[in-house]
Amino acid sequence: MSIQVKAAGLSDVGRLRQDNEDIFLLDEDLGLFAVADGMGGHAAGEVASRLAVEALREVWYEETDGEGRERRMLRGYALANDRIRQEVARNASRQGMGTTLVAILFHDSRALVANVGDSRAYLVREAAIRQVTTDHSWIREQVDQGRISTEEAVRHPFRNVITRALGTRAQVEVDLQEIPLQDGDRLLLCSDGLTGMLKDDKILEIIDGSEEVQAAAEGLVSAANQAGGEDNVTVLLLDCVRGED
Ligand code: CA
């Protein structure tokens, strides 16, 4: 079985911020999709997130000699990391900039998922939603160790502190996993501007309530804004449909 992907992406500044430091990458030819959430302020965060998705995409357009997908994905993340660090070295005002990057490459009815930071990938299958990435955040560590409850975490002042990002260290550790896909699966990539405003069951309700990915993406962004829109919000929704082979 082959899987065809229908995609819709949307990025919104939200209700409180002046700038949008998020970006998404939607490349149907490659089957490559990503969301990056930049940090650093003063126009630096949006530079970091853009450099990251451009570097990742570039790697998948190179001619290579039988390089495996996982290796290539890791090389894309390493190049993104290097590009951001080079930009910081050239421009002192960009000191401290970095970005999250969550990415999916579709191949052979599978999804290769890569992640650094606290943007997320979710799988929606048979009326259930599951976060497939692990947040690299301080708050997640505290919740895992039982120091803070899930309820407290939602409003905790340090909920945005991330423990892994691109651009902040010379080497970056990337989480990788493969997900076998079924006809009808939907995958969501999003920044924390969505998940900080909406609980998972609300996200599921909106996704399951829309036939079309574009309408679902618009519904998610508008619900995040109605809930306060405290941060930039970016969603990339992917419908996995059985191919015609
Ligand atoms: Ca954010």
Side-chain angles (χ1 to χ4, degrees):
M1 180 183 73
S2 74
I3 288 280
Q4 290 181 346
V5 179
K6 266 197 280 181
L10 207 54
S11 188
D12 190 88
V13 69
R15 290 267 166 88
L16 299 183
R17 303 285 177 96
Q18 297 297 314
D19 304 305
N20 190 350
E21 298 182 315
D22 289 358
I23 197 168
F24 66 85
L25 165 68
L26 191 165
D27 191 321
E28 286 176 323
D29 294 336
L30 288 172
L32 180 67
F33 304 90
V35 165
D37 176 352
M39 59 193 177
H42 305 295
E46 58 196 77
V47 172
S49 56
R50 182 175 46 77
L51 287 173
V53 298
E54 285 174 358
L56 181 67
R57 185 163 181 263
E58 186 181 314
V59 159
W60 289 95
Y61 275 103
E62 286 171 8
E63 297 284 335
T64 70
D65 207 359
E67 182 182 35
R69 289 185 191 88
E70 298 201 353
R71 253 192 115 82
R72 197 190 284 216
M73 186 67 95
L74 293 175
R75 199 159 59 76
Y77 271 70
L79 182 64
N81 195 54
D82 290 347
R83 289 271 167 82
I84 295 166
R85 293 175 65 79
Q86 285 160 10
E87 181 61 26
V88 170
R90 270 197 297 268
N91 188 337
S93 71
R94 302 210 160 131
Q95 197 70 39
M97 79 173 177
T99 188
T100 72
L101 183 62
V102 61
I104 291 186
L105 179 85
F106 288 93
H107 69 95
D108 311 319
S109 75
R110 299 171 78 82
L112 174 63
V113 182
N115 186 49
V116 168
D118 68 348
S119 297
R120 292 179 177 174
Y122 285 94
L123 174 64
V124 176
R125 173 180 289 170
E126 290 161 6
I129 187 166
R130 177 169 69 88
Q131 183 182 345
V132 296
T133 48
T134 300
D135 298 342
H136 302 132
S137 67
W138 179 84
I139 200 88
R140 158 101 193 180
E141 290 171 5
Q142 301 304 306
V143 170
D144 286 352
Q145 290 163 17
R147 296 205 177 104
I148 292 177
S149 72
T150 315
E151 289 69 37
E152 287 170 320
V154 177
R155 305 306 306 167
H156 198 283
F158 297 157
R159 64 187 181 279
N160 296 324
V161 175
I162 59 176
T163 50
R164 242 194 261 176
L166 292 177
T168 54
R169 292 195 187 150
Q171 301 288 328
V172 61
E173 191 190 343
V174 184
D175 291 352
L176 278 184
Q177 62 183 309
E178 285 269 0
I179 302 177
L181 298 170
Q182 300 175 5
D183 183 34
D185 282 352
R186 281 176 158 177
L187 284 151
L188 169 69
L189 301 181
C190 61
S191 64
D192 69 338
L194 182 77
T195 51
M197 293 289 109
L198 303 179
K199 291 188 172 161
D200 289 3
D201 53 0
K202 181 69 184 170
I203 293 172
L204 175 64
E205 186 189 313
I206 294 167
I207 291 176
D208 272 352
S210 305
E211 282 281 301
E212 293 296 323
V213 277
Q214 183 66 35
E218 287 167 9
L220 289 169
V221 169
S222 88
N225 280 330
Q226 276 164 26
E230 291 173 15
D231 195 359
N232 307 145
V233 51
T234 301
V235 302
L236 189 49
L237 197 59
L238 306 156
D239 252 356
C240 307
V241 187
R242 189 190 301 265
E244 299 289 317
D245 58 355

Coordinates of all heavy atoms in Angstrom, one line a residue, residues 129-163:
I129 N -6.2 10.7 19.8 CA -5.0 11.5 19.5 C -3.9 11.1 20.4 O -4.1 10.8 21.6 CB -5.4 13.0 19.7 CG1 -4.2 13.9 19.2 CG2 -5.8 13.4 21.1 CD1 -4.6 15.4 19.0
R130 N -2.7 11.0 19.8 CA -1.5 10.6 20.6 C -0.3 11.5 20.2 O 0.0 11.6 19.1 CB -1.2 9.2 20.4 CG 0.0 8.6 21.1 CD 0.2 7.1 20.9 NE 0.5 6.7 19.6 CZ 1.7 6.5 19.1 NH1 2.7 6.8 19.8 NH2 1.9 6.1 17.9
Q131 N 0.3 12.1 21.2 CA 1.5 12.9 21.0 C 2.6 11.9 20.7 O 2.9 11.0 21.5 CB 1.9 13.7 22.2 CG 3.1 14.6 21.9 CD 3.6 15.4 23.1 OE1 2.8 15.6 24.1 NE2 4.8 16.0 23.0
V132 N 3.3 12.0 19.6 CA 4.3 11.0 19.2 C 5.7 11.5 19.5 O 6.7 10.7 19.6 CB 4.2 10.5 17.7 CG1 2.9 9.8 17.5 CG2 4.4 11.6 16.8
T133 N 5.9 12.8 19.7 CA 7.2 13.3 20.1 C 7.3 13.5 21.6 O 6.2 13.6 22.2 CB 7.4 14.7 19.4 OG1 6.3 15.5 19.5 CG2 7.7 14.5 17.9
T134 N 8.5 13.6 22.1 CA 8.7 14.0 23.5 C 9.1 15.4 23.5 O 10.0 15.8 22.8 CB 9.8 13.1 24.1 OG1 9.4 11.7 24.0 CG2 10.1 13.4 25.5
D135 N 8.5 16.2 24.4 CA 8.9 17.6 24.6 C 10.3 17.7 25.2 O 10.5 17.1 26.3 CB 8.0 18.4 25.5 CG 6.6 18.5 24.9 OD1 6.4 18.2 23.7 OD2 5.6 18.8 25.7
H136 N 11.2 18.5 24.7 CA 12.5 18.7 25.4 C 12.3 20.0 26.2 O 12.8 21.1 25.8 CB 13.6 18.8 24.3 CG 13.7 17.6 23.5 ND1 13.8 17.6 22.1 CD2 13.7 16.3 23.9 CE1 13.9 16.4 21.7 NE2 13.8 15.6 22.7
S137 N 11.6 19.9 27.3 CA 11.3 21.1 28.1 C 11.5 20.8 29.6 O 11.4 19.6 30.0 CB 9.9 21.5 27.8 OG 9.0 20.6 28.3
W138 N 11.8 21.8 30.3 CA 12.0 21.7 31.7 C 10.8 21.2 32.4 O 10.8 20.3 33.3 CB 12.4 23.1 32.3 CG 12.6 23.1 33.8 CD1 13.8 22.8 34.4 CD2 11.7 23.5 34.7 NE1 13.6 22.9 35.8 CE2 12.3 23.3 36.0 CE3 10.3 23.9 34.7 CZ2 11.6 23.6 37.2 CZ3 9.7 24.2 35.9 CH2 10.3 24.0 37.1
I139 N 9.6 21.7 32.0 CA 8.4 21.4 32.6 C 8.0 19.9 32.4 O 7.5 19.2 33.3 CB 7.2 22.3 32.1 CG1 6.0 22.3 33.1 CG2 6.7 21.9 30.7 CD1 6.1 23.3 34.2
R140 N 8.3 19.4 31.2 CA 8.1 17.9 31.0 C 8.9 17.1 31.9 O 8.5 16.1 32.4 CB 8.4 17.7 29.5 CG 8.8 16.2 29.2 CD 7.6 15.5 28.5 NE 7.8 14.1 28.5 CZ 7.0 13.2 28.0 NH1 5.9 13.6 27.5 NH2 7.3 12.0 28.0
E141 N 10.2 17.5 32.1 CA 11.0 16.7 33.1 C 10.5 16.7 34.5 O 10.5 15.7 35.2 CB 12.5 17.3 33.1 CG 13.2 17.1 31.8 CD 14.5 17.8 31.7 OE1 14.9 18.5 32.7 OE2 15.2 17.8 30.7
Q142 N 9.9 17.9 34.9 CA 9.4 18.0 36.2 C 8.1 17.1 36.3 O 7.9 16.4 37.4 CB 9.0 19.5 36.5 CG 10.2 20.4 36.5 CD 11.3 20.0 37.4 OE1 11.1 19.8 38.6 NE2 12.5 19.9 36.8
V143 N 7.3 17.1 35.3 CA 6.1 16.3 35.3 C 6.4 14.8 35.4 O 5.9 14.0 36.1 CB 5.2 16.6 34.1 CG1 4.0 15.6 34.0 CG2 4.6 18.0 34.2
D144 N 7.4 14.4 34.5 CA 7.9 13.0 34.5 C 8.4 12.6 35.8 O 8.3 11.4 36.2 CB 8.9 12.8 33.4 CG 8.4 12.9 32.0 OD1 7.1 12.9 31.9 OD2 9.1 12.9 31.0
Q145 N 9.1 13.5 36.5 CA 9.6 13.1 37.8 C 8.6 13.3 39.0 O 9.0 13.1 40.2 CB 10.9 13.9 38.1 CG 12.1 13.6 37.2 CD 13.1 14.6 37.2 OE1 13.2 15.5 38.0 NE2 14.0 14.6 36.2
G146 N 7.4 13.7 38.6 CA 6.3 13.8 39.6 C 6.4 15.0 40.5 O 5.8 15.1 41.5
R147 N 7.2 16.0 40.1 CA 7.4 17.2 41.0 C 6.3 18.2 40.7 O 6.0 19.1 41.5 CB 8.8 17.9 40.7 CG 9.9 17.0 41.0 CD 11.2 17.9 41.3 NE 12.3 17.0 41.7 CZ 13.3 16.7 40.9 NH1 13.3 17.2 39.7 NH2 14.2 15.9 41.4
I148 N 5.7 18.2 39.5 CA 4.7 19.1 39.1 C 3.6 18.3 38.4 O 3.9 17.4 37.7 CB 5.2 20.2 38.2 CG1 6.2 21.1 38.9 CG2 4.1 21.0 37.5 CD1 6.9 22.2 38.0
S149 N 2.3 18.6 38.8 CA 1.2 17.9 38.1 C 1.0 18.4 36.7 O 1.4 19.5 36.4 CB 0.0 18.0 39.0 OG -0.6 19.3 38.8
T150 N 0.3 17.6 35.9 CA 0.0 18.0 34.5 C -0.9 19.3 34.6 O -0.7 20.2 33.7 CB -0.8 16.9 33.8 OG1 -0.2 15.7 34.1 CG2 -0.9 17.1 32.3
E151 N -1.8 19.4 35.5 CA -2.6 20.6 35.7 C -1.8 21.8 36.0 O -2.0 22.9 35.4 CB -3.7 20.4 36.7 CG -4.8 19.4 36.4 CD -4.3 18.0 36.3 OE1 -3.4 17.6 37.2 OE2 -4.7 17.2 35.5
E152 N -0.9 21.7 36.9 CA 0.0 22.9 37.3 C 0.8 23.3 36.1 O 1.1 24.5 35.9 CB 0.9 22.5 38.5 CG 0.2 22.4 39.8 CD 1.1 21.8 40.9 OE1 1.9 20.8 40.6 OE2 1.1 22.2 42.0
A153 N 1.3 22.3 35.3 CA 2.2 22.6 34.2 C 1.6 23.5 33.2 O 2.3 24.3 32.6 CB 2.6 21.3 33.6
V154 N 0.3 23.4 33.0 CA -0.4 24.2 32.0 C -0.1 25.7 32.2 O 0.0 26.5 31.2 CB -1.9 23.9 31.9 CG1 -2.6 24.8 30.9 CG2 -2.1 22.4 31.6
R155 N -0.2 26.2 33.4 CA 0.0 27.6 33.7 C 1.3 28.0 34.4 O 1.5 29.1 34.8 CB -1.1 28.1 34.6 CG -2.5 27.9 34.2 CD -2.8 28.3 32.8 NE -2.6 29.7 32.5 CZ -2.5 30.3 31.3 NH1 -2.7 29.6 30.2 NH2 -2.3 31.6 31.2
H156 N 2.2 27.0 34.5 CA 3.5 27.3 35.2 C 4.3 28.3 34.5 O 4.4 28.4 33.2 CB 4.3 26.0 35.2 CG 5.4 26.0 36.3 ND1 6.5 26.7 36.1 CD2 5.4 25.5 37.5 CE1 7.3 26.5 37.2 NE2 6.6 25.8 38.1
P157 N 4.9 29.3 35.3 CA 5.7 30.4 34.6 C 6.9 29.9 33.8 O 7.3 30.6 32.9 CB 6.2 31.2 35.8 CG 5.9 30.4 37.0 CD 4.8 29.4 36.7
F158 N 7.4 28.7 34.1 CA 8.6 28.2 33.3 C 8.2 27.2 32.3 O 9.0 26.4 31.8 CB 9.6 27.5 34.3 CG 10.2 28.5 35.3 CD1 10.7 28.0 36.5 CD2 10.2 29.9 35.1 CE1 11.3 28.9 37.4 CE2 10.7 30.7 36.0 CZ 11.3 30.3 37.2
R159 N 6.9 27.2 31.9 CA 6.4 26.2 30.9 C 7.1 26.3 29.5 O 7.0 25.4 28.8 CB 4.9 26.2 30.8 CG 4.3 27.4 30.2 CD 2.8 27.4 30.3 NE 2.2 28.6 29.8 CZ 2.1 29.8 30.4 NH1 2.5 29.9 31.6 NH2 1.5 30.8 29.8
N160 N 7.6 27.5 29.3 CA 8.2 27.7 27.9 C 9.7 27.4 27.9 O 10.4 27.6 26.8 CB 8.0 29.1 27.4 CG 6.5 29.4 27.2 OD1 5.7 28.5 26.8 ND2 6.0 30.5 27.6
V161 N 10.3 27.0 29.0 CA 11.8 26.8 29.0 C 12.1 25.5 28.3 O 11.7 24.4 28.8 CB 12.3 26.8 30.5 CG1 13.8 26.5 30.5 CG2 12.0 28.1 31.1
I162 N 12.9 25.5 27.2 CA 13.2 24.3 26.6 C 14.6 23.9 26.9 O 15.5 24.7 27.1 CB 12.9 24.3 25.0 CG1 13.7 25.4 24.3 CG2 11.4 24.5 24.8 CD1 13.5 25.4 22.8
T163 N 14.8 22.5 26.9 CA 16.1 22.0 27.3 C 17.0 21.6 26.1 O 18.1 21.2 26.2 CB 15.9 20.8 28.2 OG1 15.0 19.9 27.6 CG2 15.4 21.2 29.6

